[in-house]
Structures are given as structure tokens and as C-alpha cells.
Amino acid sequence: MKFGINCWSFPKTFPIEEALKAAKEIGYDGYEVGLALDDLEHFGKDEFKIKFKTIKETSESIGVEIPSVATGLFWHFNPITDRENALKVIRAECEVASLVGAELILAVPGVGVPSLAYEKHFEKASEFVREASKIAEEYGVKIGLENVWNRVFAGPLEFKQLLDEINCENVGAYFDVGNTIPHSLPEHWIRVLRDKILQVHVKDFNLVELKFGIPLSGSVNWGEVRKALEEVKYDGYILPEVPPYLADPVKAAEDSFTSLKKIFG
């Protein structure tokens, strides 16, 4: 397994060049870049290409890989109800991936809405992801669907059912360990999804305080998580996706790396 760090583990005001240097100094192999709303607004313009080409040049000069592209924009453009704009996000992510040399983009398959029958969410999400798959194929990248608190596809069997219905070779799961708590257990997800897991986000969730945190700070059974990942022979990236501390821009990333070394060796 390789250790990477998600861009949101550093403050938004922290320059990405400094974040890449910090990731290297801490010991991470990779850095996951993000696509923000202002990036989407500049999509197709020179500044968009310049920004991400510069990120690639910086990462290469430092010696940090960029395995993937993440975004939170599917909360703004729900694939279930706003497919057209959600597909624009997919294309922008794919463009970023091509500019920085990433092989995977993160997507949320949709957010549950009360006006739509639960079963219809599977149909709408499948249609969206199949279209997204065609776009990703143009760029030669894969799509990892992340399990999130989205009021739908909340269990491992349902998530696997969704992936089976989509049935695209370049689509799998972007598995988030902490997002399974409190409604399910991450080790169950891993053993159900198995080789459908393309990449892994890690964070903890404290069932007493009801908040996320760095690995080993909450209620996740990390011994079982490691055991399950070893059973399914997962050997890809593991990336903390944790909020930064208020008083120090890199300490959360440092503490997460220490936890990863303790959990996974």
C-alpha cells in the first residue's frame, strides 16, 4: 500500500506548492488534488490549464505522485436531479486528471431526495454513472464512487448492487472508511466490495462525540480494517481525508501519517 494525503487535509488558504512540499517532507507518496467551484467556473480557459499544469510540474519536481482528483461539487450538482451539470463536473475532473497525470477521479453517485422513490435513485444514479463512464473512457481514467452520508446506497450490499447495475469496467468504489460509521462497519464493506475498491480514504469517527478525526482517534476498529484490506489483497493508495487543525496547517497531516504507519506498518 502507498500513503497519500487529500488536499482538504490542509487549510484552503495554504498554498498548494507548500502542501506538496509538506506532504513530501512528512513521508507521503502521493497527494490528491481537488476541483473546487471556482475551478469549474474557469474550466475551458487558459488559467484552468495553467493552474493544474503547474501543480503537475511542482509535484514532479518534488517527487510526489498525484494518483487522483477529488471534488465536493456533487453536493452542489446532485447527479440524481441535475445530471447535466454533474456530468460537466465529471468532464472537468477528467481534464484535471489528464493535466496532472492522475488515473482516478472521485464521484458521488447522487444524494437522496424525498420527491423520488427510493428505487428510482438506483435507476437515476446508474444512468448518470454510465454516461460519466463514457467521458472518463475518453480520458483513459477510472471513476471511483465514494460512499458518503447521502441518504441512499448506505449499506455495502446496496452499494455493490449499484456497481453491479452500472457494470462498467472503468467504474469502481472509492471506499471511505470513516463514512461507514455509525450506520455500518467498514470491515463489512471491504469484504463485500473486494476488488471493486479502486482507492481508499481514511478518517475516524468518534461515536461518543459524534465527530470525524484522524485515524485512531475514534471508534473504527482499525485492526479489522487492516485485516480486511489484506484479505481482499488491496495494494493501492490509502489517503487520509481529515480536517486540518486550526492552529497549524500541517499537524493533522503529520498525525495522520503517524497513525497510518502504526495501523498499516
Side-chain angles (χ1 to χ4, degrees):
M1 301 178 190
K2 291 184 177 182
F3 298 154
I5 186 70
N6 171 270
C7 60
W8 301 320
S9 296
F10 299 98
K12 291 181 179 180
T13 56
F14 198 55
I16 190 167
E17 294 83 4
E18 295 302 314
L20 285 164
K21 291 176 183 177
K24 178 66 174 180
E25 291 172 0
I26 293 168
Y28 287 105
D29 301 300
Y31 179 92
E32 181 172 61
V33 302
L35 177 77
L37 186 59
D38 58 342
D39 295 319
L40 187 65
E41 293 171 352
H42 291 99
F43 181 46
K45 300 178 182 178
D46 288 342
E47 52 261 48
F48 183 93
K49 293 183 178 180
I50 292 171
K51 173 182 177 177
F52 291 103
K53 283 183 177 179
T54 301
I55 290 173
K56 181 182 181 181
E57 292 170 358
T58 303
S59 69
E60 289 179 339
S61 67
I62 294 172
V64 174
E65 294 181 335
I66 300 180
S68 50
V69 179
T71 188
L73 291 179
F74 297 107
W75 298 100
H76 292 271
F77 308 109
N78 184 356
I80 300 295
T81 58
D82 191 4
R83 188 187 307 175
E84 183 178 351
N85 280 319
L87 288 172
K88 289 180 181 178
V89 176
I90 289 288
R91 186 168 290 280
E93 279 192 285
C94 287
E95 182 69 20
V96 173
S98 69
L99 291 170
V100 300
E103 298 180 353
L104 180 72
I105 65 168
L106 180 152
V108 172
V111 181
V113 292
S115 60
L116 191 67
Y118 191 78
E119 295 84 355
K120 275 287 185 180
H121 286 75
F122 281 86
E123 179 183 326
K124 295 284 188 180
S126 297
E127 291 172 353
F128 161 71
V129 177
R130 289 193 195 102
E131 289 189 50
S133 169
K134 294 176 183 177
I135 296 173
E137 189 174 5
E138 295 175 19
Y139 288 86
V141 301
K142 294 183 178 182
I143 299 174
L145 301 182
E146 187 178 34
N147 56 299
V148 295
W149 290 8
N150 57 345
R151 303 186 297 273
V152 68
F153 322 126
L157 292 176
E158 286 190 1
F159 207 89
K160 182 177 182 296
Q161 177 187 341
L162 175 66
L163 290 171
D164 288 342
E165 287 187 13
I166 293 167
N167 192 29
C168 294
E169 289 186 3
N170 64 341
V171 177
Y174 199 133
F175 177 62
D176 189 301
V177 172
N179 283 349
T180 65
I181 307 289
H183 56 272
S184 55
L185 298 175
E187 54 266 34
H188 290 166
W189 281 76
I190 295 165
R191 293 186 174 102
V192 169
L193 296 177
R194 303 188 70 82
D195 60 357
K196 294 182 183 293
I197 298 174
L198 300 179
Q199 200 154 278
V200 175
H201 269 162
V202 292
K203 56 178 173 279
D204 220 318
F205 186 80
N206 189 313
L207 286 170
V208 177
E209 300 176 357
L210 298 180
K211 68 177 185 179
F212 291 111
I214 66 171
L216 298 178
S217 70
S219 305
V220 171
N221 186 330
W222 290 101
E224 282 299 315
V225 168
R226 172 177 176 167
K227 182 179 178 182
L229 287 172
E230 289 174 345
E231 284 179 12
V232 303
K233 296 180 171 56
Y234 178 77
D235 61 356
Y237 263 98
I238 294 179
L239 303 98
E241 183 197 20
V242 299
Y245 298 150
L246 293 177
D248 190 295
V250 303
K251 190 65 167 66
E254 291 174 346
D255 290 351
S256 294
F257 186 80
T258 300
S259 292
L260 293 186
K261 295 292 287 184
K262 189 174 184 64
I263 295 166
F264 299 105

